[in-house]
Amino acid sequence: MTLLYENLLSELKRKNIRLSHQRLKVLEFLAGHLIHPTAEQIYTGLRKEIPTLSKTTVYSTLNTLVDAGLVRVINIENNEIRYDIRAENHGHFKCESCGIIYDFDADIDSLSSGSLNQFEIRDKNVYFKGTCPMCLSEKH
Amino acid sequence: MTLLYENLLSELKRKNIRLSHQRLKVLEFLAGHLIHPTAEQIYTGLRKEIPTLSKTTVYSTLNTLVDAGLVRVINIENNEIRYDIRAENHGHFKCESCGIIYDFDADIDSLSSGSLNQFEIRDKNVYFKGTCPMCLSEKH
DNA sequence: AAATAAGTCGTAACCATTACAAGATTGAAG
DNA sequence: CTTCAATCTTGTAATGGTTACGACTTATTT
């Protein structure tokens, strides 16, 4: 995790993005809470340490990090954006009962079929929906 | 296409969903315009024939059809819901330049890895983003 | 034909996200 | 260290797609 965090910092420096206090804290939160949080969750989580933090800053920082390629957007529901710092190829499973988003290994690259060979692909996403084992067992 | 439409109607009857004028028109629009439209586009498209149509009805109808399993929601951007009537397993490619969403064949079922064998999967989605050939050629 | 259920409609509310402008911070140059 | 311009942060207000709600209309049942 520390390694991940260090890599992110050098990546920011390389792209000439200032390492402000707020940005570092947002990155730290993402690296330390691999729960695909919403902007609201990040905001609430950081307010303890930074009482003056503004929600606008969280959104603005996240957009900056997404543009820089350090953070990925997860669009599963249309009424909330989730953010993910993990870069490796993986899919997301959202439990419709508890709302938790799980990572799962998926060979996404093997999907790109020949019918898209004239297209410039910049981003690949896979998500499933259903019920997680924990919620399944509670239904008894 | 007519075949598709007929199948949808019998499916609605089977589920005891009334075949109101508005619902038939929404279905007809979806079957006749395979462009993954927004609710707004459906609303605008149908107002010519049904001047009294309400946007609320379009949303309500779409939600009914989605719950009945006849229509699928496509969440790619967080600020618009797109609707798709095609049922077969396929992925979506959204061009970030012109906004068009293309279908492409993808063996989505081959993705479900073993790490999800305790999960109840109800819905699988794959979408890519990038630039389509048309927009690529215009960049010259 | 009356009664009950379901569907439609318009308006208003909701709420996550963004726009904007003023004030604060940062990093580089001298 | 100081200055200065560029960038970043903040709060408030706006945006806009979607939903809640209540009145009215249409369909189905008895």
Side-chain angles (χ1 to χ4, degrees), chain A residues 18 39 56 59 63 79-81:
Chain A
R18 288 189 188 165
T56 303
Y59 277 108
N63 285 334
N79 60 344
E80 64 172 18
I81 303 181

Side-chain angles (χ1 to χ4, degrees), chain B residues 29 37-46 55 58-59 62 81 83:
Chain B
F29 187 94
T38 63
E40 180 76 34
Q41 287 176 309
I42 298 170
Y43 171 69
T44 306
L46 291 181
K55 206 181 283 185
V58 174
Y59 277 107
L62 287 169
I81 303 181
Y83 297 90

Side-chain angles (χ1 to χ4, degrees), chain A residues 75-79 96 127 129, chain B residues 30 36-39 59 61-77 80-87 90 92 101 123-127:
Chain A
N75 275 312
I76 296 183
E77 307 299 335
N78 66 92
N79 60 344
E96 291 176 310
Y127 69 86
K129 283 186 180 182
Chain B
L30 282 168
H36 320 93
T38 63
Y59 277 107
T61 296
L62 287 169
N63 285 333
T64 302
L65 297 175
V66 168
D67 291 345
L70 298 187
V71 170
R72 282 173 57 84
V73 166
I74 309 177
N75 275 313
I76 296 184
E77 307 299 335
E80 63 171 21
I81 303 181
R82 301 266 202 142
Y83 297 90
D84 193 3
I85 204 169
R86 281 190 55 198
H90 67 282
H92 293 116
I101 294 181
D123 187 28
K124 299 184 177 187
N125 296 273
V126 169
Y127 69 86

Side-chain angles (χ1 to χ4, degrees), chain B residues 2-139:
Chain B
T2 309
L3 187 67
L4 172 60
Y5 188 60
E6 295 296 330
N7 288 343
L8 292 171
L9 293 196
S10 58
E11 189 67 11
L12 280 182
K13 278 181 196 151
R14 204 174 62 72
K15 301 205 175 180
N16 279 329
I17 298 174
R18 289 188 188 165
L19 302 87
S20 73
H21 184 53
Q22 288 85 343
R23 281 182 186 155
L24 296 182
K25 284 299 177 184
V26 168
L27 266 182
E28 194 183 303
F29 187 94
L30 282 168
H33 303 78
L34 300 175
I35 57 168
H36 320 93
T38 63
E40 180 76 34
Q41 287 176 309
I42 298 170
Y43 171 69
T44 306
L46 291 181
R47 260 193 98 94
K48 301 163 194 165
E49 306 178 61
I50 319 172
T52 62
L53 183 65
S54 160
K55 206 181 283 185
T56 302
T57 300
V58 174
Y59 277 107
S60 144
T61 296
L62 287 169
N63 285 333
T64 302
L65 297 175
V66 168
D67 291 345
L70 298 187
V71 170
R72 282 173 57 84
V73 166
I74 309 177
N75 275 313
I76 296 184
E77 307 299 335
N78 65 91
N79 61 343
E80 63 171 21
I81 303 181
R82 301 266 202 142
Y83 297 90
D84 193 3
I85 204 169
R86 281 190 55 198
E88 314 92 67
N89 237 11
H90 67 282
H92 293 116
F93 178 97
K94 170 155 184 177
C95 175
E96 291 177 310
S97 175
C98 65
I100 291 178
I101 294 181
Y102 300 84
D103 292 319
F104 68 91
D105 297 324
D107 189 13
I108 298 177
D109 285 326
S110 72
L111 270 177
S112 92
S113 77
S115 63
L116 291 179
N117 51 18
Q118 304 282 339
F119 290 65
E120 182 183 300
I121 302 173
R122 212 170 296 126
D123 187 28
K124 299 184 177 187
N125 296 273
V126 169
Y127 69 86
F128 293 177
K129 284 185 180 185
T131 311
C132 73
M134 215 163 54
C135 290
L136 281 175
S137 68
E138 277 172 7
K139 278 185 182 167

